[in-house]
Amino acid sequence: MARKQYPHTPDGRYFVAKNRLWRCTDPRLSEDEKRTHIKALMQARRAVRTAQQQDDADALREARDAVQVAKEALGERGPVWWDDDSPDEGGLAPDNSSYAHWWASRR
């Protein structure tokens, strides 16, 4: 099954899905590091689903914390992985971000 390709900002920091900027994985991670963290993320997401199905609030909190840890390890949450002091614009609509001109030029 082919993966859907989302538009990426010119600097490679974000991709756009559902009219929101989502932070990309830190490109400095090795393939092995990425694979390890993605595996942990998928395991944590499965744990979230299981906890929801079992209506287990404690397990759900633990699983969501594990998702957060994995996302931070991937660079998709937490401190930004770039070092030019640009703010994190994740979650913004591209039209309402510093990428507005780029986004408008794509249409």
Side-chain angles (χ1 to χ4, degrees):
M1 181 164 99
R3 293 183 78 175
K4 183 173 181 174
Q5 293 296 313
Y6 297 100
H8 284 71
T9 58
D11 57 15
R13 292 178 182 169
Y14 302 95
F15 66 91
V16 179
K18 298 182 180 178
N19 199 40
R20 292 284 176 248
L21 294 169
W22 298 89
R23 199 184 318 166
C24 292
T25 299
D26 184 344
R28 300 171 298 184
L29 294 175
S30 71
E31 286 303 313
D32 285 343
E33 289 172 311
K34 268 196 275 191
R35 195 172 14 261
T36 296
H37 298 313
I38 289 170
K39 187 176 179 179
L41 176 60
M42 296 299 102
Q43 184 177 1
R45 286 180 170 165
R46 285 189 298 273
V48 166
R49 185 180 63 235
T50 299
Q52 288 172 329
Q53 290 169 344
Q54 295 175 353
D55 199 24
D56 185 336
D58 292 334
L60 182 58
R61 179 76 267 142
E62 187 175 319
R64 285 187 172 154
D65 288 347
V67 168
Q68 181 69 19
V69 167
K71 296 290 262 177
E72 286 182 14
L74 287 165
E76 297 173 7
R77 292 186 187 158
V80 298
W81 44 261
W82 50 89
D83 57 8
D84 65 2
D85 295 325
S86 295
D88 184 6
E89 297 186 74
L92 295 178
D95 290 328
N96 298 326
S97 73
S98 65
Y99 299 98
H101 186 283
W102 162 79
W103 187 243
S105 73
R106 299 186 80 254
R107 296 184 207 164

